[in-house]
Amino acid sequence: MDWHTPVRFVPGIGPILATKLEKLEIFIAGDLLTHIPFRYEDYSVISKIANLQAGETVTVIGQFTTLKNAYTKRGFNLQKAVITDETGSLDVTWFNQPFLVKTFNSHAGLVALVGKVDMNGFKLVLPSPQYEIVKPNTPLIHSGRIVPIYPETAGITSKWLRTRIFSLLETSITHEYLPTTLINTLGFISFPDALSTIHFPKSLNQVEAARRRLAFDELFIRQFEALMKRREWNKHILTKPLQINEQRLQKLIASLPFTLTPAQEKVIDHIIADLKSNKPMNRLLQGDVGSGKTVVAAIAMYITYLNQGKSLIMAPTEILAEQHYQTLNEFLTPSGIKVGIQTGSKKDIKPSSPPLKLRGGRVGLFDVLVGTHALLEKKVKLDDVKLVVIDEQHRFGVKQRSILREKGESPHVLTMTATPIPRTVALTLYGDLDLSVIDQMPKGRKTIKTWVVSQIKRAAAYGWIRTQVKNTSQQAFIVCPFIEPSESISTVKAATHEFNHLRADVFPDLRLALLHGKLTYRQKQTVLTDFRHGKYDILVCTPVVEVGIDIPQATIMLVEAAERFGLAQLHQLRGRVGRSDTQSYCLLFTSENTSQALGRLKHLETAATGAELAELDFKIRGPGQIYGLAQHGRDQLKIATFGDLQLIELARIEAQKLFAADSTLSQLPLLKERVRSGKIGEIVPD
Ligand code: ADP
Ligand code: MG
């Protein structure tokens, strides 16, 4: 057995439990060891029965001298027992656990009980204790120590996890694998110590040092893998680097309906340098919502086109794909570029289904093809693809990225994200990518005026919205409460309910439409097109509503139950408005009027950038919340947090040093076993 052994082969697990463990993101033996407790219970006081006092939480070790089932007057089933050690006896009770009598009657030896001692009349009693059979020469796992409590799932309890992890800790997969000099210089504890301490600490003071060591390892390995991927990527040498036709490029830029911002020009320079070189581009383009990433991508596509290459652009949803299709048509069609779109809702992506619809010509006739994941799942043959653009990268997995790359012959890859990842974090998590940031908004953009609206002002706010949108070209979004992370039936119901209420009771004189994820693609498309063309004044939608929607005349964003969102998420929603030089507004309604919730939201009234808000979110709600709904899978850190900026930086520097000295890890076979192969096609899917 090693770190990467699938959990179903770990002794005592098997396929059924392995499936359950997947829900906890536990796939391999190593995942089980790094499934770290979220808290501990201190059961380390082992007390003689004669010394017990009411109110103490203790471990008692003894033998059952009585153990029987009984019934209360009301017919409830009760277990009554007496446990005895050399100093005395103690009454023990359980409710409704008749199997305990069977279990312990066939066991004459010692048992350890854990619980809080109580007083029953003048007698001490231990109600509903946890129990563990004491085996000779075997340490206690669930009692008589500080005991870990883990994230659990159906069929997987902390007790079960403890037992499995305890025995895994005794195997060789916990051996130290980093160079001793490195560990000593950095002042870390050893890997085996860190693992045994994080799961079974002797004292709670030791936990932080263990966590730090394991967090370092996670970041270090992540960074090392990224460096390997980068090297692998750089092995592809392009026979025909792209040529840059300055004159035609300038002509296209001059034809745009606006002037590029200096920040856009800067990142375009980065991209041009990549495209000219003989190595495929692999760049992450980060820019706040509305900073104008699409046009940057369009320029890269234009250069590709001038080199007889095709471009693919993938959006996370069909609606966004449709929007890109329209935008790119607007930017590129005048220059003679054929833009196509290929969509097909999820249900269509079955082998037996008809081919995906393609507009703008047959496959092979386009210069730019816009699509969603569907581009990957269908065996679309895409020759001559020289550029792949991925919008909102955090929604795509590594696997999908690698398939895309395979569709072209080492195409250039540009990944775009609005997630405000701190630079240090980006360099570590996406260390295989080069980073460019658009750190400036287009000129003339007014700061979106944001108000947290209290319950009593709700009616007034509705009245104000009416005056803004009625008989004007301005429009409003009303975002319904966030209920569950995915677009569930209940979310749709809530939105439908809100829509009917607003239409009948609040805005009977206005034109309202409803948009939610359970509509078909066509329905969504119709609603959005009509909204874009001004057929509606207000669009009521669910929170998962397409993050990149670009409707410049929409100037009001109203968010219901805003306290349920992270600040950065609210900022993303707010970014749906303020896309022209008309003053835009964001109204945050709350369903909870606690001063804490209001205080947090008030930050949106003053802070304008995603980065500022991500930082505040981080301070107020902790790092796990920054990335909100979208974060999942392998992009997530298990042990380290994005707040560990210094540790992140340290891991990056150390990984780079080691990579420079021994990039194949020939001297460190144990570490080599830990890092996943740097081969692009072999990356474990998300
Ligand atoms: P995002 O970075 O969020 O994807 P978009 O690319 O959708 O942003 O751009 C937001 C809006 O700003 C679009 O309507 C786009 O046409 C416009 N835009 C982009 N760049 C500029 C610019 N330099 N000046 C003015 N408007 C711009
Ligand atoms: Mg966008």
Side-chain angles (χ1 to χ4, degrees), residues 272-301:
I272 289 178
D274 288 349
L275 296 178
K276 278 203 293 205
S277 93
N278 64 355
K279 299 212 176 107
M281 166 167 76
N282 196 15
R283 187 167 290 278
L284 177 64
L285 175 60
Q286 193 190 333
D288 208 346
V289 272
S291 62
K293 296 184 288 295
T294 318
V295 67
V296 171
I299 286 168
M301 292 171 180

Coordinates of all heavy atoms in Angstrom, one line a residue, residues 272-301:
I272 N 0.6 38.9 -26.8 CA 1.3 38.9 -28.1 C 2.6 38.3 -28.0 O 3.1 37.5 -28.8 CB 1.4 40.4 -28.6 CG1 0.0 40.9 -29.1 CG2 2.4 40.5 -29.8 CD1 -0.1 42.3 -29.5
A273 N 3.3 38.6 -26.9 CA 4.6 38.0 -26.6 C 4.5 36.5 -26.6 O 5.4 35.8 -27.2 CB 5.3 38.6 -25.4
D274 N 3.5 36.0 -25.9 CA 3.3 34.5 -25.9 C 3.1 33.9 -27.3 O 3.6 32.9 -27.6 CB 2.1 34.2 -25.0 CG 2.3 34.4 -23.5 OD1 3.5 34.6 -23.1 OD2 1.3 34.4 -22.8
L275 N 2.2 34.6 -28.0 CA 1.8 34.0 -29.3 C 3.0 34.0 -30.3 O 3.1 33.2 -31.2 CB 0.6 34.8 -29.9 CG -0.7 34.8 -29.1 CD1 -1.7 35.7 -29.8 CD2 -1.2 33.4 -29.0
K276 N 3.9 35.0 -30.1 CA 5.0 35.1 -31.0 C 6.1 34.0 -30.7 O 6.9 33.7 -31.6 CB 5.7 36.5 -30.9 CG 5.0 37.6 -31.7 CD 6.0 38.7 -31.9 CE 6.4 39.4 -30.7 NZ 6.8 40.8 -30.9
S277 N 6.1 33.6 -29.5 CA 7.1 32.7 -29.1 C 6.9 31.2 -29.6 O 5.8 30.9 -30.1 CB 7.3 32.6 -27.6 OG 6.5 31.6 -27.0
N278 N 7.9 30.4 -29.5 CA 7.7 29.0 -30.1 C 7.2 28.0 -29.0 O 7.2 26.9 -29.2 CB 9.0 28.5 -30.7 CG 10.1 28.4 -29.6 OD1 9.9 28.7 -28.5 ND2 11.2 27.9 -30.0
K279 N 6.7 28.6 -27.9 CA 6.1 27.7 -26.9 C 4.6 28.1 -26.8 O 4.3 29.3 -26.9 CB 6.8 28.0 -25.5 CG 8.2 27.6 -25.6 CD 8.7 27.1 -24.3 CE 10.2 26.7 -24.4 NZ 11.0 27.6 -23.7
P280 N 3.8 27.1 -26.6 CA 2.3 27.5 -26.5 C 2.1 28.3 -25.2 O 2.6 28.1 -24.2 CB 1.6 26.1 -26.3 CG 2.7 25.1 -26.4 CD 4.0 25.7 -26.4
M281 N 1.2 29.3 -25.4 CA 0.8 30.2 -24.3 C 0.0 29.3 -23.3 O -0.7 28.5 -23.7 CB 0.0 31.3 -24.8 CG -0.8 32.1 -23.8 SD -1.5 33.6 -24.4 CE -2.9 33.0 -25.4
N282 N 0.2 29.6 -22.0 CA -0.6 29.0 -21.0 C -0.8 30.1 -19.9 O -0.1 30.1 -18.9 CB 0.0 27.8 -20.4 CG -0.9 26.9 -19.7 OD1 -2.1 27.1 -19.8 ND2 -0.4 26.0 -18.9
R283 N -1.7 31.0 -20.2 CA -1.8 32.2 -19.4 C -3.2 32.3 -18.7 O -4.2 32.0 -19.2 CB -1.6 33.4 -20.3 CG -1.5 34.8 -19.5 CD -0.9 35.9 -20.4 NE 0.5 35.7 -20.7 CZ 1.5 36.1 -19.9 NH1 1.2 36.6 -18.7 NH2 2.7 35.9 -20.2
L284 N -3.1 32.8 -17.5 CA -4.3 33.1 -16.7 C -4.6 34.6 -16.7 O -3.7 35.4 -16.3 CB -4.2 32.6 -15.2 CG -5.3 32.9 -14.3 CD1 -6.6 32.2 -14.7 CD2 -5.0 32.5 -12.9
L285 N -5.7 35.0 -17.2 CA -6.0 36.4 -17.3 C -7.1 36.7 -16.2 O -8.2 36.2 -16.3 CB -6.6 36.8 -18.7 CG -7.1 38.2 -18.9 CD1 -6.0 39.2 -18.7 CD2 -7.7 38.3 -20.3
Q286 N -6.6 37.5 -15.3 CA -7.5 37.8 -14.2 C -8.0 39.3 -14.3 O -7.2 40.2 -14.6 CB -6.7 37.6 -12.9 CG -7.6 37.6 -11.6 CD -6.7 37.7 -10.4 OE1 -5.5 37.2 -10.4 NE2 -7.2 38.2 -9.3
G287 N -9.3 39.5 -14.1 CA -9.8 40.9 -14.2 C -11.1 40.9 -13.6 O -12.0 40.1 -13.8
D288 N -11.4 42.0 -12.8 CA -12.6 42.1 -12.1 C -13.8 42.1 -13.1 O -13.6 42.3 -14.3 CB -12.6 43.5 -11.4 CG -13.5 43.5 -10.1 OD1 -14.3 42.6 -10.0 OD2 -13.3 44.4 -9.3
V289 N -15.0 41.8 -12.6 CA -16.1 41.8 -13.5 C -16.3 43.1 -14.2 O -16.1 44.2 -13.6 CB -17.5 41.5 -12.7 CG1 -17.7 40.0 -12.7 CG2 -17.5 42.1 -11.4
G290 N -16.5 43.1 -15.5 CA -16.7 44.4 -16.2 C -15.4 45.0 -16.7 O -15.4 46.1 -17.3
S291 N -14.2 44.4 -16.4 CA -12.9 45.0 -16.7 C -12.6 44.9 -18.2 O -11.7 45.5 -18.7 CB -11.8 44.4 -15.9 OG -11.7 43.1 -16.1
G292 N -13.4 44.1 -18.9 CA -13.2 44.0 -20.3 C -12.3 42.9 -20.8 O -11.3 43.1 -21.5
K293 N -12.5 41.7 -20.3 CA -11.6 40.5 -20.7 C -12.0 40.0 -22.1 O -11.1 39.6 -22.8 CB -11.8 39.4 -19.7 CG -11.3 39.8 -18.3 CD -11.3 38.6 -17.3 CE -12.7 38.3 -16.9 NZ -13.4 39.3 -16.1
T294 N -13.3 40.1 -22.5 CA -13.7 39.5 -23.7 C -13.0 40.1 -24.9 O -12.5 39.4 -25.8 CB -15.2 39.6 -23.9 OG1 -15.9 39.4 -22.6 CG2 -15.8 38.7 -24.9
V295 N -12.8 41.4 -24.9 CA -12.2 42.0 -26.1 C -10.7 41.6 -26.2 O -10.2 41.5 -27.3 CB -12.4 43.6 -26.0 CG1 -11.7 44.2 -24.9 CG2 -12.0 44.2 -27.4
V296 N -10.1 41.4 -25.0 CA -8.7 41.0 -25.0 C -8.6 39.6 -25.7 O -7.8 39.3 -26.6 CB -8.2 40.9 -23.6 CG1 -6.8 40.2 -23.6 CG2 -8.1 42.3 -23.0
A297 N -9.6 38.7 -25.4 CA -9.6 37.4 -26.0 C -9.9 37.5 -27.5 O -9.3 36.9 -28.3 CB -10.7 36.5 -25.4
A298 N -10.8 38.5 -27.9 CA -11.1 38.7 -29.3 C -9.8 39.1 -30.1 O -9.6 38.6 -31.2 CB -12.2 39.7 -29.4
I299 N -9.0 39.9 -29.4 CA -7.8 40.3 -30.1 C -6.8 39.1 -30.4 O -6.3 39.0 -31.4 CB -7.1 41.5 -29.4 CG1 -8.0 42.7 -29.6 CG2 -5.7 41.7 -29.8 CD1 -7.7 43.9 -28.7
A300 N -6.7 38.3 -29.4 CA -5.9 37.1 -29.5 C -6.5 36.2 -30.6 O -5.7 35.6 -31.4 CB -5.9 36.3 -28.2
M301 N -7.8 36.1 -30.7 CA -8.4 35.3 -31.8 C -8.2 35.9 -33.2 O -8.0 35.2 -34.1 CB -10.0 35.3 -31.6 CG -10.3 34.5 -30.4 SD -12.1 34.7 -30.0 CE -12.2 33.7 -28.6

